[in-house]
Amino acid sequence: MTTDDVEDILQRARSVHSAGDLAGAAAIYEQLIAAAPARPEGYVNLGRLKQDQDDLDGAAALYRQAIAAAPDSALAHLNLGVILVRHGDESAAAAAFKQALQLDPALAPAHFNLAGVYQREGRLNEALSQLDALLTDNPGDLSAVLAKVPMLFDLGRLGEAWDHYVHRRALFPDTNAALSAPLWQGENISNKKILLSYEQGLGEQIMFASMVPEIIAEGADLTLECEPRLVSMFARSFPGAAVVPWQKPRHPVVTESSFDMYAPMGNAGAWLRRGFDMFPRHDGYLRADPGKAQALRAKYQKTANGKKLAGLSWHSSAEQFGSEKSVPPVLLAPLFERADVFWVNLQHGAAAGDIASDALLRDPDIDALVDMDGFAAQIAALDLVVSVSNTTAHVAGALGKPVQIMLPKVKNRHWYWFPDRAPNPWYPSLRPYVQSVDGEWRDVVAAVNEDLATA
């Protein structure tokens, strides 16, 4: 079969595939394999189809057949490596990616995926080298630029990290499309009308808000746009700023005001947090409603009988990788055996009911999904918080509340927790507990439990 014949069949199969006829496309790929068993294209494309259907074993078998038929197929090695990552065999995956790069040194996805393996293994400099090699041939690859960010932060190369981080706004092209003001590039903002605009999730907005007092102190006329549930707390905490909710269409204050400059909230880190010495120590920069907090503390103390009041959150609802940041509830049982701690359920959403124990109080009057201000008051009412990486940890740290945070070893651990630095640059009251092995939480829970006596 000639190359033109193969291309004609592939084009026909891809057309059928794109039309949604997966069975028809699979049949054509199988015809190609039968007619040209020494060519890799049929195996590789059928493998991709099965991979998209989550038939990983079937896909891996086809990629191996492709390699047996054509050992010089870089795509077959690359795709097999992706499957091996999904199966958790990082060593074999790395070998597959390296082989793909030997065959095609410019194969960008192989550089990217090998960088991911190195990052998960903690080999950050090697991971960065792979991304730099990718960017040499593909300087506009935004995924590679942003993939460097957490590694640069982990290595303490903050200036470089922020310089890359500012490019994330290209991922949200519509967020600030209505703004005509120029982007703040670090210029003097004294007596300037500045907008810090909404971005990302609740946790990031809470964390980046730690820079608001410094921006106000520099003499800026500041407007702060944030998630609607944060408006009351931010307005109370930052009386020198006008606080408006993010909404569609944008709030009139945002669209009708003449700002001298604007920036997504996190951009301020590029000039205010370029070194660890630029993170101020604080006892909390957010202010919960004092009346609500006092009332809740009194309410819980009536039942606690003198025990320490501790909040607990074990689940991350993040759409991607939330499960890897969450502690299975069954593993938390040792915490409830303590005689010196009264536990309050800080988990929100569907997972809040995952632990049905008399040792864990769930307050029906508090719902963080609706009332973040009430949730902050609940945390302020407690003596300490035990949490995984989620909004609860951010709120507690921003209030200056002692936080014992349970973190993955490497996989999908957010860059800003800096577990090897004490105190945490963003939240000095936070103490990290990191898995010794990715996916294993028992040692983390045991360490948290041991330290509760002195927390």
Side-chain angles (χ1 to χ4, degrees):
M1 180 174 287
T2 68
T3 299
D4 287 343
D5 292 334
V6 170
E7 287 301 322
D8 287 343
I9 295 174
L10 279 176
Q11 185 61 37
R12 181 159 55 93
R14 287 167 180 158
S15 177
V16 172
H17 193 167
S18 64
D21 183 0
L22 302 186
I28 300 173
Y29 291 136
E30 287 169 351
Q31 290 172 13
L32 178 58
I33 291 170
R39 300 287 297 267
E41 292 93 337
Y43 305 106
V44 170
N45 283 276
L46 183 57
R48 288 299 302 269
L49 186 150
K50 288 185 177 295
Q51 186 175 336
D52 291 342
Q53 292 177 316
D54 218 29
D55 179 4
L56 302 187
D57 291 336
L62 284 159
Y63 296 145
R64 289 190 171 99
Q65 287 180 272
I67 292 168
D72 61 348
S73 172
L75 280 178
H77 290 283
L78 167 66
N79 292 350
L80 178 60
V82 172
I83 298 296
L84 291 168
V85 168
R86 295 277 299 274
H87 281 315
D89 193 346
E90 300 275 19
S91 178
F97 297 139
K98 289 176 184 177
Q99 183 61 35
L101 288 169
Q102 277 192 337
L103 295 165
D104 183 358
L107 189 58
H111 282 297
F112 192 88
N113 281 281
L114 183 55
V117 172
Y118 286 152
Q119 180 185 19
R120 291 187 293 274
E121 293 177 343
R123 299 160 63 181
L124 301 184
N125 286 307
E126 292 170 86
L128 288 171
S129 293
Q130 290 298 321
L131 294 173
D132 286 337
L134 188 164
L135 288 165
T136 297
D137 294 326
N138 305 274
D141 192 316
L142 184 61
S143 295
V145 169
L146 294 178
K148 294 180 66 174
V149 169
M151 295 180 246
L152 291 168
F153 275 122
D154 276 347
L155 290 169
R157 294 159 59 178
L158 303 193
E160 294 175 73
W162 288 118
D163 291 343
H164 285 73
Y165 192 68
V166 297
H167 292 288
R168 76 203 177 287
R169 67 190 183 95
L171 297 176
F172 314 104
D174 298 329
T175 301
N176 291 307
L179 301 177
S180 59
L183 186 68
W184 179 30
Q185 304 280 8
E187 306 94 324
N188 187 296
I189 55 175
S190 178
N191 298 315
K192 300 291 186 181
K193 192 173 180 63
I194 304 294
L195 170 70
L196 285 187
S197 61
Y198 167 91
E199 66 162 316
Q200 300 189 65
L202 276 170
E204 285 80 8
Q205 291 174 60
I206 290 167
M207 181 176 72
F208 293 143
S210 63
M211 297 182 280
V212 168
E214 291 158 77
I215 294 171
I216 295 173
E218 290 186 20
D221 179 1
L222 179 64
T223 296
L224 180 60
E225 180 187 44
C226 62
E227 214 268 10
R229 286 177 291 166
L230 294 174
V231 169
S232 295
M233 183 162 47
F234 277 10
R236 181 187 308 110
S237 305
F238 311 123
V243 183
V244 298
W246 160 258
Q247 60 189 38
K248 288 187 176 182
R250 302 287 279 276
H251 194 282
V253 167
V254 172
T255 57
E256 296 175 10
S257 298
S258 298
F259 293 103
D260 294 304
M261 288 172 279
Y262 87 93
M265 289 177 68
N267 278 30
W271 14 98
L272 298 180
R273 300 290 184 265
R274 293 191 72 84
F276 288 112
D277 59 338
M278 298 177 72
F279 285 80
R281 294 293 295 268
H282 63 79
D283 296 322
Y285 52 87
L286 292 188
R287 299 289 174 260
D289 184 309
K292 289 182 182 177
Q294 290 170 9
L296 287 168
R297 184 169 181 82
K299 174 182 175 181
Y300 299 151
Q301 284 178 326
K302 286 182 180 179
T303 311
N305 296 319
K307 296 178 182 179
K308 190 179 301 182
L309 298 179
L312 179 64
S313 179
W314 59 89
H315 179 79
S316 168
S317 59
E319 186 172 344
Q320 283 191 313
F321 315 123
S323 61
E324 294 185 14
K325 299 191 295 176
S326 302
V327 178
V330 67
L331 299 182
L332 299 169
L335 302 182
F336 304 132
E337 297 171 2
R338 302 189 64 92
D340 58 339
V341 175
F342 180 81
W343 290 101
V344 176
N345 190 337
L346 297 181
Q347 190 60 55
H348 46 269
D354 287 349
I355 298 179
S357 171
D358 291 339
L360 181 66
L361 173 70
R362 184 175 179 183
D363 191 336
D365 296 330
I366 303 296
D367 183 356
L369 296 179
V370 177
D371 181 14
M372 186 59 60
D373 206 38
F375 183 60
Q378 183 182 40
I379 290 175
L382 306 174
D383 296 311
L384 64 99
V385 168
V386 175
S387 181
V388 296
S389 171
N390 60 16
T391 300
T392 300
H394 284 282
V395 175
L399 290 169
K401 192 63 58 176
V403 188
Q404 294 173 276
I405 186 168
M406 301 179 286
L407 298 170
K409 183 177 188 293
V410 176
K411 292 181 181 178
N412 304 308
R413 189 184 73 211
H414 288 301
W415 60 267
Y416 40 70
W417 296 126
F418 292 109
D420 297 326
R421 288 195 167 268
N424 176 272
W426 295 102
Y427 305 120
S429 64
L430 183 144
R431 183 172 181 178
Y433 294 78
V434 183
Q435 295 171 338
S436 57
V437 178
D438 266 313
E440 177 54 63
W441 290 106
R442 288 176 178 82
D443 55 343
V444 171
V445 175
V448 167
N449 196 24
E450 182 178 349
D451 287 351
L452 278 169
T454 56

